[in-house]
Amino acid sequence: MYQIAISLWRTFVPYLVAFVVLQAARLGIHLNNATVNSALTTGFGTVYYAVFRVLEHRYGARWGWFLGAAKPPAYALAGTPATGTHAIDYTRLPEGG
């Protein structure tokens, strides 16, 4: 569950930064159209995320802090059994589930 929370957090942070930057920019620029504001926030957030993911991948995990966490989440490989207290042992379930 922690890995999913980190994943969501690292996706949310760039859009939060984009929103704050655009709100600060609006102090000097009057953007009346909500669609333009939404598009700018989405575009800026996506570019922000991409830039810091590339920096994190190329130059180290310290760049991940700009996404809200020092390193990306680690997911189990497909076919690897889940571990932890919430893992389900499907061999113990009756047939048909």
Side-chain angles (χ1 to χ4, degrees):
M1 186 66 176
Y2 177 74
Q3 298 301 325
I4 292 172
I6 289 295
S7 174
L8 293 172
W9 180 249
R10 288 171 54 95
T11 301
F12 171 74
V13 166
Y15 294 103
L16 178 65
V17 170
F19 177 77
V20 170
V21 167
L22 285 173
Q23 293 307 312
R26 287 183 69 187
L27 295 175
I29 303 169
H30 183 62
L31 296 175
N32 197 10
N33 190 345
T35 303
V36 172
N37 197 17
S38 176
L40 287 174
T41 300
T42 302
F44 183 81
T46 301
V47 169
Y48 179 95
Y49 181 81
V51 165
F52 284 106
R53 280 293 286 137
V54 168
L55 288 172
E56 179 183 42
H57 180 71
R58 182 168 279 176
Y59 298 112
R62 68 181 176 273
W63 290 98
W65 283 113
F66 288 96
L67 298 174
K71 64 179 186 172
Y75 301 104
L77 298 173
T80 305
T83 59
T85 58
H86 300 295
I88 299 172
D89 183 6
Y90 289 102
T91 61
R92 302 179 105 196
L93 293 175
E95 249 185 87

